[in-house]
Amino acid sequence: MDRFLLMQCFARTAEMGSFSAAARDLGLSQPNVSRYVAALESHLERRLLQRSTRKLHLTPEGERYYAEARRILDAVTEAESSLRSEVAPAGLLRVACPTALAHEFVMPQVPSFLRAYPDLELDLQISDRFVNLIDEGAELALRIGQLSDSALRARRIGMFQRVCVAATGYLEERGSPQTPEDLGKHDCIVYSLLSTGAAWRFAETEVPVSGRLRVNSPQAVREAALAGLGIALGPSWLFEEGLRAGRLRRVLRGYEAPPVPIHMLYVANRLLPRRAVVFMDFIADAFGRVEALNATA
């Protein structure tokens, strides 16, 4: 049996989480995809996928084999493209992106990107949860903050400043904090997905914060701040309109932590397809023209 076909079926099944989804993507029948993956496991004498009623998961052996299989499949695709002198990238590109970046900066670039590359399809997976590129089949991920995963390569495409703000009415009623430690006397709007949890980082200290409202969306943090529900911490561009209109005021100037990096991530041991490279270049260029995304320390 064609070992390359078996490898394709396994890789797409691992990326999409089910035999039926992989079959639709590959234009094959679901029974055939299931049979091909089973044949590959038989050939390797290893269980690659753990079957369950809800979703398929890679076994440890499957994770190792997937990384190598993906590298080989991408290399074949790139080799064929080179021989055919294909200038325009094609195919489906999956990109994971945090909600605030997606809505504020990435989505406005999507129409121009798709016009520039008519043979390319974009699956933009917008979520603030942590996305595992290998398990979920995304080729790229935008990530905010410092990096720790050594299995990924990163290209920094931006830096932004986090600021503290509050509604004018809130500050008139409760007063303005003079130091980060003063936040203990205030209602703070807690973003529950912040990497430091219910603690805010400043230039020389980190202070615990609390309040009557916790949210898991940056946009909700902005709305709560505008509604006068407390002091908020977030990217400067998140509050730009409210600050410009005078509805919000900055507090704790001079105590800000160093700028926060934005990276584009991809799997280290996987050949990056041309469609991913052009998207990375396109977004990096767009971010480079936004002042709020080019903060300096």
Side-chain angles (χ1 to χ4, degrees):
M1 192 172 289
D2 183 349
R3 199 175 302 171
F4 186 76
L5 175 61
L6 304 187
M7 194 179 292
Q8 279 184 310
C9 290
F10 163 69
R12 293 311 289 144
T13 300
E15 290 164 354
M16 306 195 77
S18 75
F19 292 119
S20 57
R24 287 193 298 271
D25 187 70
L26 293 168
L28 301 170
S29 70
Q30 187 270 333
N32 273 343
V33 171
S34 180
R35 181 163 58 88
Y36 293 158
V37 172
L40 180 62
E41 290 179 318
S42 177
H43 170 73
L44 296 172
E45 299 182 347
R46 293 289 186 276
R47 175 64 65 87
L48 302 177
L49 292 170
Q50 188 68 46
R51 281 82 165 166
S52 71
T53 56
R54 298 184 63 185
K55 192 177 180 182
L56 298 172
H57 298 278
L58 288 168
T59 64
E61 294 81 7
E63 289 180 359
R64 292 198 300 273
Y65 186 78
Y66 171 80
E68 290 303 312
R70 187 70 267 170
R71 180 181 60 80
I72 292 167
L73 293 170
D74 287 343
V76 171
T77 299
E78 290 299 302
E80 290 178 348
S81 296
S82 176
L83 287 175
R84 292 171 185 162
S85 299
E86 290 181 355
V87 177
L92 176 64
L93 174 65
R94 291 183 173 87
V95 181
C97 185
T99 56
L101 282 179
H103 295 299
E104 298 281 344
F105 300 112
V106 177
M107 281 303 300
Q109 302 302 324
V110 168
S112 297
F113 178 74
L114 293 179
R115 281 196 298 270
Y117 301 102
D119 297 325
L120 193 149
E121 300 173 47
L122 180 62
D123 179 357
L124 192 60
Q125 301 172 356
I126 301 173
S127 172
D128 285 324
R129 66 181 180 82
F130 180 86
V131 173
N132 184 306
L133 271 70
I134 293 177
D135 288 351
E136 303 189 36
E139 289 166 306
L140 297 172
L142 277 83
R143 196 162 292 170
I144 294 171
Q146 301 300 327
L147 304 176
S148 58
D149 194 337
S150 60
L152 301 177
R153 288 182 180 167
R155 174 179 173 182
R156 199 179 78 183
I157 60 172
M159 294 274 284
F160 66 85
Q161 187 70 59
R162 279 198 178 115
V163 298
C164 276
V165 304
T168 302
Y170 175 89
L171 295 174
E172 289 174 350
E173 180 182 342
R174 300 284 298 273
S176 181
Q178 301 303 304
T179 69
E181 288 74 17
D182 290 343
L183 291 172
K185 307 170 188 174
H186 285 268
D187 284 325
C188 294
I189 301 160
V190 178
Y191 175 51
S192 58
L193 298 181
L194 190 68
S195 60
T196 54
W200 289 357
R201 187 170 295 154
F202 293 89
E204 298 180 358
T205 186
E206 188 174 287
V207 298
V209 296
S210 62
R212 298 174 61 197
L213 180 65
R214 298 172 63 90
V215 295
N216 65 352
S217 156
Q219 289 84 352
V221 170
R222 176 172 56 198
E223 292 168 13
L226 288 167
L229 298 181
I231 297 175
L233 173 71
S236 59
W237 41 265
L238 187 66
F239 308 117
E240 199 170 75
E241 187 176 333
L243 290 167
R244 192 165 48 243
R247 297 179 61 191
L248 296 174
R249 292 201 333 238
R250 281 186 61 179
V251 297
L252 298 175
R253 286 179 179 271
Y255 289 97
E256 294 89 351
V260 180
I262 304 169
H263 290 96
M264 190 82 78
L265 306 183
Y266 54 98
V267 179
N269 58 1
R270 184 188 302 174
L271 181 66
L272 202 60
R274 179 160 162 71
R275 59 183 176 270
V277 174
V278 296
F279 181 83
M280 193 184 316
D281 290 343
F282 195 94
I283 295 301
D285 180 68
F287 279 25
R289 297 192 300 271
V290 180
E291 183 178 355
L293 298 182
N294 288 272
T296 56

